[in-house]
Structures are given as structure tokens and as C-alpha cells.
Amino acid sequence: MSANERATRALREILQNPGNDACADCGAPDPGWGSCSLGVFICLACSGIHRNIPDISKVKSLSLSRWEDHEMQFMAENGNELMKSKYEAAVPVYYYKPTHKDCQVLREQWIRAKYERKEFSEPGRNFTYEEGTRDGMLMKRGRDNGQFLSRRFVLLEREGTLKYFTKYDAKEPKAVIKVDSINATFQPEKIGNPNGLQITYLKDYSTRNMFVYHENGKEIVDWFNAIRAVQLHYLKVAFPGATDAELVPKLTRNFLKEGYMEKTGPRQTEGFKKRWFTLDHRRLMYLKDPLDAYAKGEVFLGSRDHGYNVSLGLPAGTHCNGAWQHGITIETPERLFLFTCEMESDQQEWVKHFNNVMNAPMSPQEYTMEAMFKHRP
């Protein structure tokens, strides 16, 4: 047996240790790389980020690189669980830990925060996300002209608000947004910037979409986690008996699914028109363009126990004029909504998500939201 084969076999054995079967940074299964300076096993995508901090992390392929005996010994003595207890000793509960499904900027700043800045290694440290106020410039997409322009944003914990101003020295904000109505999710592909962040909030019973970015990856991720910190503070006041585990899922959330479908109107005699759909838990929004400020319409998806249902196909006799033939019917207590998908795989995936939402019991807040939808002007 060659030295390389022996090393590969030894590394495979070390991988059997608890915690080493998933990437130390994003949780992707079956990591194929290791940082022989940090003692962690990581996936291919995270190994690329580690390579950008060579003074901190030296990465090697588990199967293709040549490993020295002392490096393998170091990996055996450390490993993912032990290093997490060191580098993730004091991660704030609101801090968003990215998964392998998240975008590059989130994963890169998580890795840099852990190993380069050692933000979470010492309990009791003061975090930039918890300063109670955050004030800075972000590039914001104009609602009507689509241009990104520099705008001042101010996040205030004591008020529970996020404000933005069209000019740095403007006296009055253009908008005052309550943090409890905010969702923020990274959308680099949709926005066309690797650091693109979509902020949504409720305005006059409708969802307003705002698209921002910052050239500096750390800056935009710091804004994201500062919003989450303020939201958690607000929720702890609003729900004093709730645990962190109950509150954290109420912070920012990724959309369940986005993409194009075609839809027809309430009389179901109009032609099917192509729209961009966003499923944000129980809110299904449809827009003419993915970057529109406001949705053309929204559908509330309640639970199956309360008259909500989804099925494959369209009702008999429906005139489907579009090219897309894979139908979906959503039934609410008020009406039917008819959609078509281009591909059967899209149809199946949308229906899976709709079923998951409708099978889940509704919270008191969701009953309030349902009532709001029914009484919207």
C-alpha cells in the first residue's frame, strides 16, 4: 500500500468520528476537504472560501493531496465538534448560521467571523450587531426607475424601526419601517449583485419589496444580523414568556420557493398571464417582474382544517390558452386560484410546498393575518 493510500484510509477513519461527516461551516454532507491548520473537515464550496484566508487556513483534498503524518495527527486530535466548541463558543442566538443552500456572501462572512475575526470564541464579547443603533449608506434600487442609488439607512432598537433617507442630511425619512413587519433575505441572482439583500415589509396591507446591496460583504451581512438582533429584542418584549427556540424562527426567513407560473383571474375566463411568484410561508405573492416594488396580488394560504386545499390540474372545462399545461388549483374559503407551470417538475415542487404550508397548524398571529387579508380594501 502506498503512502497516499495509507493517508486516504487514515483520513477516512477520522471522518467516522462524530461531527466529521458534515462540513464544519455549512453542514453539507460528505466533506471532501480538510483544513490542516484549523483541524476541520469542510466541503468543496467552503474550501474555496478558506483558500482566500491562507494565513488562517491551509486546505487539502482528502483524496488528492499529500498529507503529512503530523497533519493527520492534528486532524485526529481536533475535528469538527471540538473546533466548533472553540470557534462557535459564543454565537449570538439571533446570528444567522448559513447552510450549504445559502449564498456565497453569507457563508464567507460566517467563515471569516469564526476563524479570521474570532468573533465567537470568547463569551461576553460585545458584538457590532447589538449596539442598539446602526447608521450607514446602502445602495437601494429605485421603485420606479430601477436605478441603484446611495441611501442612508438607520436602524434603531429603542424605536423598533428601520428608516431610510433619500439624502444623508435629510430631516425627514422617506420611510419608517417597523422591524416586526420586516423580512430580509439574500437574493444575489435576482438583484444582480453578489451582496444583494431583499427587504420586505407591510405597507397599507400590502407587501413592499426593497432591494439593497453594499459593495463590502461584511457590511451587508452585519446589517442583516443587526436587523435580526433588533427583531429578537422586540420579540422578547412582545412575548416575555417565549424561549429563544420559539422566537428565532420568527426572525428573517428565506422564501420557500420563487419562480414563474401563469395565472388566470377570478372569473377564470381571462387568459393565463405569466407572473413571478414568491412563496413567503403563508403569503403567495405574484408580481409582473421579480424586482417590482409591490406585488400585483397576494394569496393567503391557511391550514387544510379551515377550507384551504391544493390539487394537481385545473377544473374540468377550464380554457387554458397558454403554452404551459401543468396546472395547479388552490382552493380558499373565498375562491379558486388557477395556475399553470412550464415543467411538471415545477408543478410538483410548488404543490409540495403548498401542501407543507397547508398541513401546518396556524399560529394566533397567522389567524390575525388571515383576517387582515379578508378585510383588505
Side-chain angles (χ1 to χ4, degrees), residues 40-210:
V40 292
F41 293 93
I42 52 179
C43 69
L44 175 62
C46 288
S47 76
I49 298 170
H50 279 251
R51 271 200 207 89
N52 291 332
I53 44 174
D55 51 331
I56 305 290
S57 186
K58 182 183 177 186
V59 293
K60 288 189 170 187
S61 164
L62 300 185
S63 56
L64 301 175
S65 301
R66 184 170 181 273
W67 286 76
E68 304 293 341
D69 288 344
H70 69 89
E71 292 171 337
M72 289 190 292
Q73 182 69 24
F74 184 73
M75 298 299 287
E77 290 171 354
N78 292 287
N80 291 2
E81 285 202 348
L82 187 62
M83 290 300 97
K84 277 189 181 184
S85 69
K86 175 182 177 181
Y87 289 107
E88 298 181 29
V91 182
V93 67
Y94 57 78
Y95 190 97
Y96 185 84
K97 291 184 183 182
T99 72
H100 60 284
K101 296 178 181 177
D102 283 301
C103 63
Q104 175 84 0
V105 69
L106 270 173
R107 285 185 288 121
E108 178 171 355
Q109 291 308 314
W110 166 235
I111 288 167
R112 288 186 180 274
K114 281 204 294 184
Y115 306 119
E116 187 177 45
R117 300 193 292 270
K118 295 186 172 66
E119 285 187 23
F120 315 123
S121 297
E122 298 170 23
R125 180 172 174 166
N126 292 326
F127 293 104
T128 181
Y129 328 106
E130 295 176 12
E131 290 172 354
T133 180
R134 187 170 188 88
D135 188 332
M137 307 298 286
L138 297 173
M139 299 299 290
K140 177 190 170 294
R141 188 179 191 273
R143 187 182 74 181
D144 301 316
N145 60 16
Q147 284 185 302
F148 279 91
L149 297 168
S150 185
R151 296 289 184 251
R152 182 187 181 195
F153 283 77
V154 179
L155 179 67
L156 291 170
E157 185 181 272
R158 69 176 184 275
E159 292 182 8
T161 59
L162 175 68
K163 304 176 184 180
Y164 85 87
F165 301 79
T166 51
K167 293 179 180 167
Y168 187 82
D169 55 357
K171 294 283 189 289
E172 294 297 322
K174 177 75 172 172
V176 179
I177 307 160
K178 289 287 187 184
V179 293
D180 62 319
S181 77
I182 287 178
N183 186 29
T185 179
F186 278 90
Q187 297 277 14
E189 291 178 13
K190 188 158 77 171
I191 294 172
N193 185 285
N195 301 337
L197 183 69
Q198 179 174 349
I199 295 173
T200 63
Y201 60 96
L202 286 178
K203 183 180 180 186
D204 302 328
Y205 299 102
S206 295
T207 300
R208 167 81 160 94
N209 299 306
M210 195 159 62

Side-chain angles (χ1 to χ4, degrees), residues 331-350:
E331 180 185 352
T332 75
E334 283 73 43
R335 57 169 280 202
L336 297 180
F337 291 88
L338 309 185
F339 312 113
T340 56
C341 299
E342 183 178 19
M343 311 280 290
E344 186 180 1
S345 56
D346 290 335
Q347 175 201 41
Q348 299 284 345
E349 197 172 335
W350 277 111

Side-chain angles (χ1 to χ4, degrees), residues 262 270-273 319-325:
E262 291 185 339
E270 306 93 329
F272 278 76
K273 292 178 181 173
H319 176 63
C320 189
N321 64 310
W324 294 2
Q325 299 297 316

